[in-house]
Amino acid sequence: MDPWISSQPSLSLDLHVGLPPLSLHQAPVAVALARPKVLVEENVLPPKKEPEVYIHSCLIGGGVVFDDDPKSLTDCFLDSMMTHQVAALETELQRMSEENRRLTEALAAVASKYEALRSQYTEMVATAGGNPSSTSEGGSVSPSRKRKSESTDTALAPPAAAAQHPGPHPHPHLHPAVPADQTECTSGEPCKRIREECKPKVSKLYVHADPADLSLVVKDGYQWRKYGQKVTKDNPCPRAYFRCSFGPACPVKKKVQRSADDTSILVATYEGEHNHGQPPPAPAQAAHNGSAAPGASKNAAVAKPPSPPRPAAAIAPAPHRPQLQLHHQQQQQQDAAAMNGEQPVGAAAAAASEMIRRNLAEQMAMTLTRDPSFKAALVTALSGRILELSPTND
DNA sequence: CGTCTTTGACCTGCGC
DNA sequence: GCGCAGGTCAAAGACG
């Protein structure tokens, strides 16, 4: 994790902004523990500090002013109200912080257990004579469909996959035409287990959205093409299926569905990794933090790919790259460095850190401005402050 | 006319 | 083998 981030006690980025900054194989666990409701509320923390300071200073000097100035009666009344409110907010803050701490601990425990199991599994595969590198990489192995009529043609090159990936794939390690489980498995249970391990990297992103907005569009900076929608059993809200518009070169898919518990939350499930950079934002997109323009309903989530896919390694992170992708790529770089036995390069790490800070600030600003509770708290604090400072108050 | 979204139909995996 | 549920396809319609 970014040292700067971990040094910000009130931010608690692990659980609050976008995707938890864990490696993707940990993401589902992390997301399962993260409660989106809490995430947004806790984002209110930084602005609270201002009224907190204000109240403390008023408490110190209030008594002196009280005797001399009749107007200070109003001030003190307001101060009292503010103090009460701030006390309540502080209590809430403490509660949230405590909950955050518990969640973080639980997350760490689960992550460590997962790591232990993972290494155990890798060990087992290695001793069984398997090829750990083909499975532990997790890879963006696309679960290619095998339709009944097509699968009889050839097992090695399913037409569906061939249609999606004409010609040699530029990134076979990211999206092999033939999933490892299909080539290496010969029977039963081991095959199933390996297949599960070969699933594309899955990550989840919780996004606050207007419940009245039924578009199911998650603005993550990438361009998506919707290819299906389905009502699932466990959730009355329909689930939308998207493919990256850079496909078939980019195998990434995402599913977007409203949370069954809180319809104001969109749950975006990403499968696979982008093998290209984030498309350059259009003017309207740039004004919306690199996401699709909300007004353009027709092409909000989809646009023609502006440029051919580029290898991820050749692309510097875009300034508006969403937090998700930042964590994603950063983790990839760290993984790659770890695999090569390298230490993170100082300059690159600093640049990445700076990038994360910038995106973090943007993301927090966006989240905060979208949160009604934050707005209410801000309005309360500001109105109290304005009343206090107003020369005409009486 | 080209592109994208919608949506019913189809396919596949899984549990029984 | 059957039924269910999730995921995907592809025709039709909408839109610029």
Side-chain angles (χ1 to χ4, degrees):
Chain A
M1 186 185 297
D2 187 348
W4 181 87
I5 292 174
S6 57
S7 69
Q8 307 301 310
S10 62
L11 296 180
S12 301
L13 298 175
D14 309 22
L15 298 170
H16 296 159
V17 179
L19 189 73
L22 298 166
S23 60
L24 280 181
H25 55 260
Q26 293 172 329
V29 176
V31 169
L33 290 169
R35 284 172 46 186
K37 194 84 176 179
V38 175
L39 308 190
V40 175
E41 289 177 3
E42 289 242 279
N43 278 336
V44 182
L45 294 182
K48 280 183 191 169
K49 296 200 179 253
E50 206 275 332
E52 184 180 3
V53 172
Y54 154 67
I55 285 299
H56 287 170
S57 61
C58 286
L59 288 175
I60 293 169
V64 178
V65 182
F66 181 79
D67 291 331
D68 300 333
D69 186 2
K71 280 195 286 185
S72 64
L73 280 169
T74 309
D75 293 346
C76 287
F77 176 70
L78 289 170
D79 287 353
S80 171
M81 286 180 61
M82 285 292 291
T83 307
H84 190 72
Q85 268 187 319
V86 168
L89 286 172
E90 282 178 338
T91 306
E92 181 74 0
L93 166 63
Q94 285 176 2
R95 192 181 64 80
M96 292 293 184
S97 299
E98 179 64 21
E99 187 170 357
N100 179 41
R101 190 185 58 78
R102 287 203 312 272
L103 288 170
T104 307
E105 287 172 359
L107 172 61
V110 170
S112 64
K113 284 179 184 175
Y114 172 82
E115 277 305 319
L117 283 171
R118 187 162 165 264
S119 59
Q120 207 173 332
Y121 168 78
T122 308
E123 211 169 300
M124 286 172 61
V125 171
T127 53
N131 184 7
S133 65
S134 66
T135 55
S136 63
E137 200 173 43
S140 303
V141 179
S142 172
S144 60
R145 292 185 63 204
K146 285 198 298 180
R147 290 184 177 273
K148 192 188 290 181
S149 59
E150 295 166 341
S151 61
T152 56
D153 295 342
T154 166
L156 290 178
Q164 284 195 346
H165 309 279
H169 196 281
H171 303 284
H173 62 288
L174 288 175
H175 189 86
V178 183
D181 60 284
Q182 290 183 10
T183 56
E184 295 181 359
C185 295
T186 53
S187 66
E189 276 309 299
C191 173
K192 195 181 293 181
R193 289 182 58 186
I194 291 177
R195 184 184 304 152
E196 286 172 2
E197 290 292 322
C198 289
K199 280 181 181 174
K201 288 185 177 178
V202 175
S203 56
K204 282 191 178 182
L205 180 65
Y206 291 92
V207 179
H208 258 284
D210 184 1
D213 183 11
L214 303 174
S215 62
L216 284 177
V217 172
V218 173
K219 300 164 187 172
D220 55 12
Y222 283 92
Q223 295 168 341
W224 301 91
R225 183 169 60 85
K226 188 177 180 181
Y227 67 89
Q229 183 166 316
K230 191 89 174 178
V231 176
T232 55
K233 188 184 177 184
D234 56 343
N235 192 334
C237 302
R239 175 185 296 169
Y241 298 89
F242 296 90
R243 277 200 190 94
C244 180
S245 287
F246 280 99
C250 181
V252 181
K253 296 178 200 166
K254 84 170 173 182
K255 295 178 283 191
V256 180
Q257 188 174 30
R258 291 191 179 277
S259 170
D261 299 327
D262 187 350
T263 55
S264 67
I265 295 173
L266 285 174
V267 182
T269 305
Y270 293 82
E271 292 182 14
E273 301 171 64
H274 291 282
N275 54 12
H276 57 87
Q278 191 177 23
Q285 290 176 323
H288 292 84
N289 194 21
S291 54
S297 61
K298 178 68 179 170
N299 295 324
V302 178
K304 190 170 186 174
S307 63
R310 295 165 293 172
I315 297 164
H320 296 291
R321 181 177 294 282
Q323 199 71 18
L324 165 71
Q325 187 64 12
L326 264 176
H327 289 311
H328 193 131
Q329 284 204 338
Q330 188 185 27
Q331 187 61 42
Q332 279 182 297
Q333 290 167 0
Q334 288 175 355
D335 287 348
M339 285 177 66
N340 296 334
E342 297 171 356
Q343 295 295 324
V345 183
S353 174
E354 174 63 26
M355 196 71 67
I356 287 175
R357 279 196 286 272
R358 197 178 310 159
N359 279 272
L360 173 66
E362 290 176 1
Q363 181 115 4
M364 286 181 65
M366 281 174 56
T367 306
L368 289 174
T369 52
R370 280 199 298 257
D371 185 9
S373 62
F374 166 70
K375 285 181 182 174
L378 188 62
V379 165
T380 305
L382 284 177
S383 59
R385 181 67 168 166
I386 289 170
L387 279 171
E388 194 265 340
L389 291 176
S390 171
T392 60
N393 67 345
D394 48 9

